[in-house]
């Protein structure tokens, strides 16, 4: 995609540039185009460019005791990549801006390895970034993707079916255990190693999905974003919501950081074919319904407001 | 460029979304495409996509006492836009990720106004962003641009002339005064209100500039990046370096945060025409010379290493 190879990175002297060179060495062929003022990429002819940015801050989005440095790097980048999945876009590059306190300086290459793991999973490249000193570890990832027909939140229509990938409630279950000082056991991986559902989202669009979002704020909260953007009402059947083994329905309805994909479609999507393709469950959980106002209901009943986790308030 | 208008932004409830709605209201027509998982843009057919990301952290890149909140927002975005200027790219959109401590919460709309000022100056739009709580104010700006033939650092060749826009030494002069608790007087504006040389860089490329960089680390430090990337030696004549009124030559050679543009070109560029077009000086300050190794010299003499300001070390 770019013309400068990371292994040919040419920068002057300085501590920041030394650290960038070390990270670049670690990334090898997974990084390209570093070492100029900006990266140069090509968007396939006819495609739109899809871009999103996401920040993970220590103590807000994760605690140091909960994750290895490598997992912190991985998870930060995956959260951003999941926004490309939500738009059914193919990643074409990732930029990573890291603010690193002195106490974290020794962990920088481990974090870089996690970033590398995430771009491997998404079959993309690191095309740029920034490194700053600071008092708080913070990772801002910008993802670039391409899509011929990006999936939006605003295209859900009356009578559409509502589908969700995977099983919900795992990540919040892990956080609850960690807050109690317990090992998160089987829940831990759902929290530490989420997978961006990039191929899954493109598959769903090819089979007729018309609106979509990734579940980062919680199933109900994200359904509300779709309902608000599409000016529709959505009713879901909680008995059909796929609950992660050992979790409860409340966690599945309201837990965030799932990074599963929610779509609406005007006709049936073959859930068995999806399962065969991806080894992952696809569930039909509700419908876009006729209602006097934009809202999300569970079997006709209203749900308490703002139950999704809000990193900005906590 | 995008299909969703900011004035039609549709998000569910929550403190983060309320703050985003307020910022979006403030931006008006200067923001577009907010409220989906990612922004959708078009890159002009035939052009490359040029992207860069840059972080400004309180206490590292600026001090609260030095700048108004509006200037902090402005300056952060301009620093990133300057990287597009360095590549001679036209901006097509800006993403702004802000981490805001409680003590700064009341300043958020002022910061947003400064972000708006910067996109006005660059004639572009805010197409996305992120808002997080944290303990340290931090603004990470990602800029997207388009260019048919992006200017790179790596294309300087033997005998090329070296040109620089504007006058140097102002921003570091302002910082010195501020550190002493003095008013920065005429220097202050050079520090607080830098201008991204976007049109100037495109003009220079149209007239034959082959390699370029923006001066963010300092003239000598940034010349070293060009020399390293192009595998050449550059000699400059310090008597030709344009010094900001009241500043000294050392400040002009080593002061960072200038956001002026440095280019090389194989033939003369009409400096008077440049002055007429932009009301800004263009100076020829040196040459790419034959030398046994990649280096930067001042009238043949070597310059002490790493004299540029390194935000990562300080």
């Amino acid at each position: 995609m770019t013309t400068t190879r990371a292994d040919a990175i040419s920068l002057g002297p300085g501590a920041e540039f030394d650290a960038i060179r070390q990270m670049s060495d670690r990334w090898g062929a997974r990084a390209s185009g570093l070492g100029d003022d900006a990266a140069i990429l090509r968007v396939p002819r006819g495609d739109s460019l899809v871009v999103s940015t996401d920040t993970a801050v220590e103590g807000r989005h994760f605690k140091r005791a909960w994750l290895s440095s490598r997992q912190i790097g991985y998870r930060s980048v995956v959260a951003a990549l999941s926004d490309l999945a939500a738009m059914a876009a193919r990643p074409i590059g990732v930029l990573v801006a890291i603010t690193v306190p002195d106490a974290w300086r020794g962990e920088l290459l481990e974090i870089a390895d996690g970033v590398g793991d995430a771009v491997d999973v998404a079959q993309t490249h690191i095309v740029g970034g920034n490194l700053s000193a600071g008092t708080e570890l913070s990772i801002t990832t910008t993802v670039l993707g391409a899509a011929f027909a990006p999936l939006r939140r605003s295209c859900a229509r009356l009578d559409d079916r509502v589908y969700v990938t995977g099983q919900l409630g795992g990540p919040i279950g892990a956080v609850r255990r960690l807050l109690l000082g317990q090992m998160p056991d089987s829940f831990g991986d759902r929290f530490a190693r989420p997978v961006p559902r990039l191929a899954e989202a493109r598959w769903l669009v090819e089979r007729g999905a018309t609106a979509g979002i990734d579940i980062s704020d919680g199933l109900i909260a994200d359904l509300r974003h779709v309902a608000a953007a599409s000016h529709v009402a959505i009713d879901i059947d909680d008995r059909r919501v796929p609950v992660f083994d050992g979790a409860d329905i409340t966690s599945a309805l309201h837990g965030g950081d799932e990074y599963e994909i929610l779509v609406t479609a005007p006709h049936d999507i073959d859930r068995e074919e999806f399962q065969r393709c991806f080894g992952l469950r696809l569930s039909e959980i509700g419908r876009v319904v006729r209602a006097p106002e934009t809202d999300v209901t569970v079997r006709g009943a209203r749900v308490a407001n703002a139950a999704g986790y809000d990193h900005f308030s906590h």
Side-chain angles (χ1 to χ4, degrees), chain A:
Chain A
M1 309 297 275
T2 62
T3 53
T4 327
R5 280 291 307 282
D7 51 20
I9 191 166
S10 299
L11 288 166
E16 179 183 352
F17 306 122
D18 289 341
I20 292 171
R21 265 185 288 262
Q22 285 178 325
M23 293 172 77
S24 174
D25 286 348
R26 201 85 157 210
W27 287 329
R30 290 173 299 181
S32 56
L34 309 185
D36 221 315
D37 289 290
I40 303 169
L41 293 113
R42 280 266 164 198
V43 177
R45 197 161 141 180
D47 277 7
S48 291
L49 169 66
V50 178
V51 286
S52 183
T53 194
D54 196 67
T55 302
V57 180
E58 182 190 359
R60 303 280 168 174
H61 300 88
F62 60 87
K63 292 193 189 298
R64 187 169 189 171
W66 294 0
L67 296 166
S68 69
S69 298
R70 186 167 187 153
Q71 288 171 334
I72 288 167
Y74 174 83
R75 209 170 162 279
S76 304
V77 175
V78 164
L81 285 166
S82 183
D83 284 325
L84 290 186
M87 308 287 283
R90 272 166 298 109
I92 60 171
V94 168
L95 298 101
V96 189
I98 307 179
T99 299
V100 56
D102 286 344
W104 280 91
R105 206 63 86 85
E107 297 298 308
L108 197 52
L109 295 183
E110 285 293 313
I111 293 170
D113 280 344
V115 170
D117 293 342
V119 301
D120 274 346
V121 161
Q123 296 176 279
T124 186
H125 290 85
I126 299 139
V127 298
N130 189 271
L131 198 55
S132 288
T135 58
E136 178 171 71
L137 181 70
S138 169
I139 304 173
T140 296
T141 308
T142 303
V143 287
L144 308 169
F148 184 74
L151 194 60
R152 298 159 190 276
R153 297 178 177 182
S154 56
C155 298
R157 296 292 172 262
L158 185 63
D159 294 330
D160 277 1
R161 288 106 171 111
V162 178
Y163 292 92
V164 67
T165 64
Q167 290 164 280
L168 309 178
I172 198 174
V175 169
R176 284 215 192 92
R177 282 161 176 71
L178 289 161
L179 284 170
L180 293 170
Q182 299 168 356
M183 287 294 289
D185 50 64
S186 73
F187 287 63
D189 234 39
R190 276 291 299 143
F191 178 72
R193 297 222 21 116
V195 178
R197 303 299 189 193
L198 291 155
E200 291 85 345
R202 295 205 299 280
W203 188 98
L204 289 165
V205 165
E206 282 162 15
R207 276 143 193 94
T210 47
I213 195 168
D214 68 320
I215 303 181
S216 48
D217 297 328
L219 177 65
I220 298 290
D222 286 307
L223 277 166
R224 282 209 177 94
H225 295 317
V226 173
S230 297
H231 306 291
V232 297
I234 296 173
D235 186 61
I236 63 160
D237 184 339
D238 50 344
R239 296 164 303 190
R240 290 179 167 212
V241 170
V243 180
F244 187 81
D245 194 26
D248 56 49
I249 181 68
T250 306
S251 300
L253 292 177
H254 299 294
D257 294 335
E258 294 281 355
Y259 307 118
E260 296 295 346
I261 295 292
L262 183 80
V263 296
T264 61
H267 54 73
D268 281 337
I269 292 180
D270 188 337
R271 290 177 282 130
E272 285 176 23
E273 193 197 343
F274 182 92
Q275 171 82 44
R276 276 195 304 276
C277 279
F278 300 107
L280 185 74
R281 197 191 288 189
L282 181 69
S283 306
E284 189 187 329
I285 61 167
R287 287 267 182 156
V288 178
V289 293
R290 196 172 298 278
E293 55 180 318
T294 286
D295 201 5
V296 174
T297 49
V298 176
R299 282 191 277 160
R302 301 199 65 168
V303 195
N305 240 359
Y309 187 79
D310 184 345
H311 290 298
F312 194 61
S313 303
H314 298 276

